[in-house]
Amino acid sequence: MSTWTNRLKELGIELPGVAAPLAAYVPATQSGPWVFTSGQLPFVDGKLPATGKVGAEVSPEEAKQYAATCILNALAAVDALVGIDSIKRVVKVVGFVASAEGFTGQPGVINGASELLGEIFGDEGRHARSAVGVAELPIGAPVEIELIVEV
């Protein structure tokens, strides 16, 4: 039987450390069979790789990669709480995109997270989703993602 840990190794993906909360919250919490993550920014080694709005300072292609980074940070939060191998399926992704005026490509940006979940979890990675454009995100991040999984 293959585990999600093995699948990550097959893909050459290593989960990062859990990002430290920026305020009064925890990275993930469990209620019954559900684990909910707090919004995850695209931190790499504790720093944002870019700031600004998508469609202005940040290209949609870059933002799509940042969405994938956000989902890895979300999976790290789940892993730290319950272990990634306890995931039965991905339930929902909510993505927020700091959007320049007139930018309407939020779904394409959040595909960075959705496609990576599909690569890792296959059919169990298919999920409901929202992709929302916002004026600003914490500390100037271009993308923020929340994840809900069933364990």
Side-chain angles (χ1 to χ4, degrees):
M1 179 177 141
S2 181
T3 64
W4 302 130
T5 300
N6 289 342
R7 180 67 182 141
L8 289 172
K9 286 179 186 167
E10 289 170 9
L11 293 170
I13 296 171
E14 187 173 325
L15 291 179
V18 178
L22 298 176
Y25 61 88
V26 295
T29 188
Q30 182 176 3
S31 180
W34 316 110
V35 174
F36 300 81
T37 71
S38 296
Q40 298 292 315
L41 302 178
F43 285 122
V44 175
D45 297 326
K47 296 185 174 91
L48 287 179
T51 58
K53 294 187 183 340
V54 180
E57 299 85 5
V58 178
S59 75
E61 296 78 20
E62 290 170 316
K64 183 176 179 180
Q65 290 302 311
Y66 299 147
T69 301
C70 290
I71 211 65
L72 290 176
N73 288 336
L75 289 172
V78 173
D79 186 48
L81 184 67
V82 298
I84 195 165
D85 291 326
S86 68
I87 294 174
K88 290 183 181 174
R89 71 179 313 255
V90 177
V91 177
K92 185 161 187 186
V93 169
V94 180
F96 302 95
V97 180
S99 300
E101 186 174 339
F103 180 73
T104 59
Q106 294 83 7
V109 169
I110 303 306
N111 274 350
S114 295
E115 291 168 2
L116 183 55
L117 288 169
E119 281 184 58
I120 296 168
F121 296 102
D123 285 344
E124 289 83 2
R126 295 174 52 90
H127 53 272
R129 187 181 90 176
S130 299
V132 182
V134 298
E136 299 287 342
L137 286 171
I139 63 172
V143 182
E144 180 174 2
I145 294 196
E146 299 174 3
L147 177 67
I148 303 170
V149 297
E150 180 183 4
V151 295

